Amino acid sequence: MEPSWVKAEPQAAESGDLSQKLVEEGMQSTKSKKSKREAKGNHFSKTLFFFQCFTIFIIIMSLAAIAANGLTIYEYTKEKDIQYRSIILRVYAISFAVMIILTEIDWRGFMRYFIFLDNWVSRGISYCFVGLITWDQDATYSTVEGAINQTVSFILIGCGVFYAVLGIACMKTVKETELRSVADTQVED
C-alpha cells in the first residue's frame, strides 16, 4: 500500500508540502490503529498468552518434579539399605524445583540473588540440570514411580532446551516489548 503522496502530482511534491503530507498520513495511521484497538475492546496478545501458558506449564512440571523426587525419597526410605547419597541428591532436586517456581513467578526478591536466571539461555540450562537430577537412571517405566520420574525429568529437560532456544532467538525482548505495548494501551484507556 503506497502512501497518498506517492500518487500525488509532482507539483505538490515540489511545493514543499511533502513533509506536511507525511505528518498527516502518520497521524491518520495512528488514529486508525487506535480505532482498531478500541473496536477490539480488549488488550489480548497472543504472544503474551503463549508465554503465560508456558510459565504455567513449567510451574506445573516443577511441582510434578517435587512430587516425583519426594516419591523417590519415600521409596528409598522403605528399603533396608538406605541410599543417603541418592536422598541428598533428591533433596537438591526439590530445592532446585522450588527455585524454578520462584523464577517463573518472577519474584524480584529472589531474582536479585540469582541474576543469572534473568538470562533465558542460562535459565534453560538450569532447567535441564533440574531435569537431569530428577531423572532416576535406575528406574524403569514398569513401576508407577519410575514412569512419573522419567516422564517429568524428560519434560523438564525439553522445557529447558526450549527456553535456551527462546533465549538464543532473543524472545525475551519480544515478550518485554509486548508487555510494554499492553501496558501502554491500558494507560491510554
Side-chain angles (χ1 to χ4, degrees), residues 4-176:
S4 62
W5 58 268
V6 172
K7 297 175 187 174
E9 288 136 26
Q11 297 93 352
E14 293 172 0
S15 66
D17 286 333
L18 181 60
S19 61
Q20 183 62 29
K21 287 185 178 188
L22 285 173
V23 170
E24 288 174 6
E25 282 201 16
M27 294 297 290
Q28 288 174 354
S29 67
T30 304
K31 288 178 184 176
S32 67
K33 286 179 184 177
K34 283 185 181 180
S35 64
K36 286 179 185 177
R37 260 190 262 131
E38 290 169 1
K40 285 183 180 178
N42 63 1
H43 308 289
F44 182 75
S45 169
K46 292 178 184 177
T47 306
L48 289 179
F49 180 73
F50 167 76
F51 284 120
Q52 288 172 346
C53 288
F54 188 58
T55 297
I56 291 169
F57 181 72
I58 288 178
I59 290 172
I60 291 169
M61 285 297 107
S62 298
L63 291 172
I66 291 170
N69 285 305
L71 185 60
T72 303
I73 289 173
Y74 175 74
E75 291 295 323
Y76 284 153
T77 57
K78 286 183 10 183
E79 297 175 3
K80 291 181 183 178
D81 185 26
I82 298 177
Q83 302 172 2
Y84 293 107
R85 182 175 164 264
S86 296
I87 291 174
I88 291 170
L89 186 67
R90 298 294 165 197
V91 171
Y92 274 119
I94 290 172
S95 64
F96 282 124
V98 169
M99 182 182 74
I100 288 175
I101 293 171
L102 294 176
T103 302
E104 286 300 317
I105 62 173
D106 203 24
W107 182 33
R108 286 289 135 188
F110 174 77
M111 294 295 286
R112 180 178 36 210
Y113 297 109
F114 297 98
I115 196 76
F116 71 95
L117 292 174
D118 207 26
N119 181 335
W120 282 10
V121 175
S122 60
R123 186 182 288 193
I125 292 169
S126 300
Y127 292 3
C128 287
F129 176 71
V130 174
L132 287 172
I133 291 176
T134 303
W135 183 20
D136 187 8
Q137 296 175 355
D138 297 331
T140 62
Y141 280 102
S142 61
T143 64
V144 172
E145 176 256 330
I148 292 171
N149 195 303
Q150 301 283 12
T151 304
V152 168
S153 65
F154 291 142
I155 291 174
L156 271 177
I157 292 169
C159 287
V161 168
F162 189 63
Y163 238 126
V165 169
L166 287 176
I168 291 170
C170 298
M171 292 303 289
K172 181 179 180 186
T173 308
V174 172
K175 179 183 177 184
E176 290 172 349

